[in-house]
């Protein structure tokens, strides 16, 4: 639910209420027609401020998937919020919270779709990748692209974690070899791998 608020200074424009007493207050809105961003961001739980960001980071709330929150292991939470990083691909801020204390903030890629069973176990997984694929040419004129792994995540007793085995398996199938968990422009692979990458993205999108 989104509704106006007036208790976060004159720059506040709306609040986003979430489960478990969480509340995101935002302001500094800029309207780009197809999306809006907010540079004033505050995260509360049960009326207690956990985090405030006035760094001009541009938060975005147009995707219905985010904000996304998980609870696990008694009063521990993960909260995901989307950040607009144009001209690069948007990314997620992962807030790790214990009770009413912010423990850590991490960066994750935006997810391709809602959680689905992406392998043969009974758990649901998210998947996402870091950047938009691009094609260039090497010195011999061969079409190449950067290594851009798809990362898979599951919710464990410690919160949202990378599914290492699934990530290695799928990216080995895409690239012929697993080169790690980060986008690497220094690792050049054949542009034909984009066909495999795109096929896996479509599989994730269309899986029921």
């Amino acid at each position: 639910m989104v509704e106006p608020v007036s208790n976060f200074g004159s720059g506040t424009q709306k609040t986003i209420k979430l489960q478990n007493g969480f509340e995101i207050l935002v302001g500094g809105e800029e309207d780009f027609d197809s999306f809006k961003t907010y540079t004033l961001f505050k995260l509360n739980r049960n009326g207690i401020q956990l985090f405030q960001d006035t760094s001009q980071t541009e938060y975005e709330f147009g995707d219905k998937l985010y904000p996304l929150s998980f609870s696990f292991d008694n009063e521990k939470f993960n909260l995901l919020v989307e950040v607009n990083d144009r001209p690069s691909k948007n990314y997620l801020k992962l807030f790790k919270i214990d009770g009413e204390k912010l423990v850590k903030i991490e960066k994750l890629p935006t997810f391709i779709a809602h959680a689905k069973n992406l392998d043969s176990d009974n758990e649901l997984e998210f998947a996402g990748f870091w950047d938009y694929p691009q094609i260039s040419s090497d010195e011999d004129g061969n079409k190449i692209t950067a290594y851009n792994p798809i990362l898979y995540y599951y919710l464990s007793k410690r919160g949202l974690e990378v599914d290492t085995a699934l990530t290695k398996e799928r990216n080995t199938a895409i690239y012929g070899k697993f080169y790690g968990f980060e986008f690497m422009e220094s690792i050049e692979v054949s542009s034909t791998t984009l066909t495999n990458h795109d096929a896996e993205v479509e599989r994730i999108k269309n899986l029921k």
Side-chain angles (χ1 to χ4, degrees), residues 64-79:
K64 293 181 180 179
L65 183 56
Y66 318 110
L68 185 62
S69 64
F70 307 99
S71 61
F72 57 96
D73 193 26
N74 189 28
E75 283 294 287
K76 291 185 179 180
F77 306 93
N78 283 177
L79 176 64

Side-chain angles (χ1 to χ4, degrees), residues 91-143:
Y91 66 89
L92 299 175
K93 270 192 177 181
L94 168 60
F95 295 91
K96 294 186 173 183
I97 299 154
D98 188 347
E100 290 164 354
K101 180 181 179 181
L102 177 62
V103 177
K104 192 175 183 181
I105 300 176
E106 294 181 0
K107 181 178 178 180
L108 273 64
T110 51
F111 296 145
I112 296 165
H114 292 272
K116 302 177 180 181
N117 190 350
L118 300 178
D119 54 15
S120 57
D121 62 22
N122 294 320
E123 295 180 334
L124 300 180
E125 292 89 14
F126 290 99
F129 54 94
W130 289 111
D131 211 345
Y132 301 115
Q134 296 183 5
I135 297 176
S136 58
S137 299
D138 63 14
E139 295 178 351
D140 299 321
N142 299 310
K143 297 297 183 182

Side-chain angles (χ1 to χ4, degrees), residues 22-204:
F22 287 103
E23 187 177 70
I24 296 173
L25 293 82
V26 295
E29 180 183 288
E30 190 166 0
D31 191 341
F32 295 89
D33 292 331
S34 59
F35 64 90
K36 295 179 180 180
T37 64
Y38 300 86
T39 52
L40 181 63
F41 177 97
K42 181 178 178 182
L43 174 63
N44 293 344
R45 183 171 187 240
N46 298 327
I48 296 174
Q49 180 176 315
L50 305 183
F51 176 75
Q52 182 171 333
D53 191 348
T54 56
S55 68
Q56 300 304 304
T57 297
E58 294 185 274
Y59 294 87
E60 185 176 338
F61 298 93
D63 192 320
K64 293 181 180 179
L65 183 56
Y66 318 110
L68 185 62
S69 64
F70 307 99
S71 61
F72 57 96
D73 193 26
N74 189 28
E75 283 294 287
K76 291 185 179 180
F77 306 93
N78 283 177
L79 176 64
L80 291 162
V81 180
E82 186 174 9
V83 174
N84 187 295
D85 198 33
R86 64 187 188 285
S88 298
K89 188 173 177 287
N90 287 4
Y91 66 89
L92 299 175
K93 270 192 177 181
L94 168 60
F95 295 91
K96 294 186 173 183
I97 299 154
D98 188 347
E100 290 164 354
K101 180 181 179 181
L102 177 62
V103 177
K104 192 175 183 181
I105 300 176
E106 294 181 0
K107 181 178 178 180
L108 273 64
T110 51
F111 296 145
I112 296 165
H114 292 272
K116 302 177 180 181
N117 190 350
L118 300 178
D119 54 15
S120 57
D121 62 22
N122 294 320
E123 295 180 334
L124 300 180
E125 292 89 14
F126 290 99
F129 54 94
W130 289 111
D131 211 345
Y132 301 115
Q134 296 183 5
I135 297 176
S136 58
S137 299
D138 63 14
E139 295 178 351
D140 299 321
N142 299 310
K143 297 297 183 182
I144 57 172
T145 188
Y147 175 66
N148 189 20
I150 298 175
L151 305 185
Y152 300 80
Y153 298 86
Y154 71 103
L155 189 64
S156 76
K157 293 180 179 180
R158 296 176 296 276
L160 202 62
E161 292 190 299
V162 174
D163 188 326
T164 301
L166 184 58
T167 297
K168 288 181 177 180
E169 174 191 320
R170 294 297 189 189
N171 285 287
T172 299
I174 293 170
Y175 295 103
K177 181 180 178 180
F178 180 68
Y179 296 96
F181 298 91
E182 300 294 329
F183 173 81
M184 297 285 288
E185 286 186 306
S186 60
I187 298 178
E188 297 176 346
V189 294
S190 171
S191 63
T192 58
T193 60
L194 287 179
T195 300
N196 299 334
H197 190 280
D198 291 346
E200 178 64 359
V201 170
E202 289 304 308
R203 182 185 80 89
I204 293 167

